[in-house]
Amino acid sequence: MIFGVDTFIWTELFTKNDLWIIKKAEELGFQAIDFAIAHPETFPTEKVIKELQETSLEAVTSTTLNAENSLISPDKSIRENGIQSLKQLIDINKAIGSNILGGVNYAGWGCLTGKPRTEEEWNNSVNAMREAAEYAVKIHPALKICVEPVNRFETHFINTAADGVKYCKAVGTKNMAVH
């Protein structure tokens, strides 16, 4: 069994000012570090690679989407933002040697409608995720994209393990899994 820690316990937005967390995680006895990356466009990839090389930590990542890049949005441009964010995350995972991209990567975290999930939301997310997952198969075949079921106060979209399994099967690529 490998014990890891999420950078989110120290910082919500990992920047170059947070590089110290990497060595601290190893000092505390962890064997893996989960980089919480909500904004891949500002993640200091090259600096993280350098810091990781000075440790024996295994890297994984997680993310949350938001109102501007939610895959369930009825607005195609917002879904496209989500696909682009996921592709950036896939590139980051490849660069830092991570084989897991988990989290609320299928809908905007905290973006609640007050209603049950709709068929349109389901189709929007599944189709957008499929595009990102197919990109991952080509760019980083070892990567697993893991969806994290969370409680109904964080999203109305995937709240149970059964929902997560159904979603992964609907996406239909072999690199999907439940976190």
Side-chain angles (χ1 to χ4, degrees):
M1 180 176 292
I2 295 175
F3 289 95
V5 65
D6 194 317
T7 61
F8 198 72
I9 67 170
W10 286 288
T11 182
E12 186 174 352
L13 180 61
F14 193 94
T15 68
K16 65 182 181 178
N17 296 330
D18 302 308
L19 293 168
W20 63 269
I21 293 170
I22 298 169
K23 287 182 182 159
K24 184 67 172 178
E26 187 172 58
E27 286 172 20
L28 292 171
F30 293 104
Q31 297 132 336
I33 186 167
D34 178 356
F35 292 96
I37 309 173
H39 298 282
E41 68 279 2
T42 63
F43 187 73
T45 305
E46 294 306 317
K47 292 180 186 314
V48 166
I49 292 168
K50 186 176 180 218
E51 291 294 316
L52 282 171
Q53 288 172 343
E54 295 178 20
T55 73
S56 60
L57 292 172
E58 180 179 329
V60 299
T61 70
S62 56
T63 193
T64 55
L65 299 180
N66 58 55
E68 277 75 49
N69 62 4
S70 177
L71 299 186
I72 69 172
S73 175
D75 184 327
K76 184 176 169 107
S77 66
I78 290 174
R79 292 193 310 274
E80 285 294 325
N81 291 342
I83 293 167
Q84 291 312 309
S85 288
L86 289 173
K87 286 181 177 180
Q88 283 181 299
L89 286 159
I90 291 161
D91 292 341
I92 289 168
N93 276 269
K94 181 177 180 181
I96 68 171
S98 165
N99 291 329
I100 296 173
L101 166 57
V104 184
N105 49 28
Y106 47 81
W109 181 73
C111 301
L112 304 169
T113 64
K115 300 174 185 171
R117 174 183 68 224
T118 68
E119 186 176 340
E120 178 186 15
E121 289 172 332
W122 182 265
N123 291 334
N124 286 345
S125 184
V126 165
N127 291 331
M129 181 60 79
R130 185 177 298 123
E131 184 175 334
E134 288 172 350
Y135 174 80
V137 167
K138 292 176 191 165
I139 300 304
H140 187 15
L143 183 69
K144 286 285 186 192
I145 299 174
C146 302
V147 298
E148 180 181 1
V150 294
N151 71 63
R152 63 189 175 93
F153 301 109
E154 294 174 284
T155 182
H156 65 286
F157 194 73
I158 295 180
N159 304 121
T160 67
D163 283 344
V165 170
K166 179 180 173 184
Y167 183 84
C168 292
K169 287 180 178 180
V171 172
T173 57
K174 293 187 184 261
N175 57 349
M176 295 296 299
V178 178
H179 173 153

